[in-house]
Structure formats: C-alpha cells, structure tokens
Amino acid sequence: MKITGVDAVRVLQTLTDYVDIHKKDNNNKFWSYKLKSAKRTEFAFDPKTKEGLYVRVDREPPSLPGITDIERILGKATSTALDRVFSGGIHKATYKVTIETESALRAFIAHYLSIEITQ
C-alpha cells in the first residue's frame, strides 16, 4: 500500500527506539528525523503530503524494493526549508528518493541503522 508523509509520521512515532524527530521547519514544510545509530543519519520529508513520500537524506540511499527515483541533489537548488531542518556539515540534503510503502520505509531505516562506524 502506498505511503504518504502523513502515514510516515505515524510509522516513525512507533520507532522511537531507533529514530528521533530532529527539527520541524517553522512553516511545517519539512520535518527532519535523526537515526539513533553511530552515524546519526538525517532525513526529512513533508509531513502533510497525501500523494506520496518524498524523502531527502544526507547519505546515499540503499537500492531496495520500494525505494525509487533516487536523485543526487547536493549542489542543486533546493528548498531553503531543508537548510533549516538538517544539522549541516555532513548532514545536509544530498539525495532525494521516493519511498513507496511502509515496509520500504522500515527497510530504509534498518539499512542506515546497520551501517557500522567506518570513518
């Protein structure tokens, strides 16, 4: 079943052992989340979308079923709201992806949680 920003907020509220809400843009255009992993990966999306889940993430996204339309956006014109919800430094909107289902969202998070410290 297709997932939306509204659905993603609900799913992420059940995963508080793994992910925290990091920052909400003043205009509620983007909310960012930070994983409780060694690398503290950040991702953001519009929590109000009812047509799909379009995520910006600071690390290369995994190639998994249900994660599509992967696009590198670093250096391209993006919403200034993204600058407000990402921490900065290595944590900036680098990729844009579409996440199609709840299971794909859970797999997306599980992928980043499994990354070991390599730096």
Side-chain angles (χ1 to χ4, degrees), residues 36-114:
K36 296 179 180 180
S37 66
K39 295 198 179 249
R40 309 272 299 153
T41 298
E42 293 180 21
F43 61 97
F45 59 90
D46 181 342
K48 300 179 304 270
T49 59
K50 295 179 182 169
E51 306 253 338
L53 180 58
Y54 312 103
V55 174
R56 279 57 165 195
V57 62
D58 63 359
R59 299 191 189 284
E60 186 171 357
S63 178
L64 296 169
I67 298 175
T68 62
D69 305 324
I70 297 171
E71 177 186 353
R72 186 172 170 85
I73 60 171
L74 188 64
K76 294 183 178 181
T78 59
S79 170
T80 57
L82 290 171
D83 293 334
R84 292 190 292 271
V85 297
F86 277 86
S87 298
I90 64 167
H91 300 293
K92 50 182 100 171
T94 305
Y95 291 91
K96 178 181 176 185
V97 301
T98 300
I99 298 181
E100 297 178 341
T101 64
E102 180 179 331
S103 62
L105 175 60
R106 290 177 181 275
F108 175 83
I109 291 168
H111 166 78
Y112 291 115
L113 290 172
S114 71

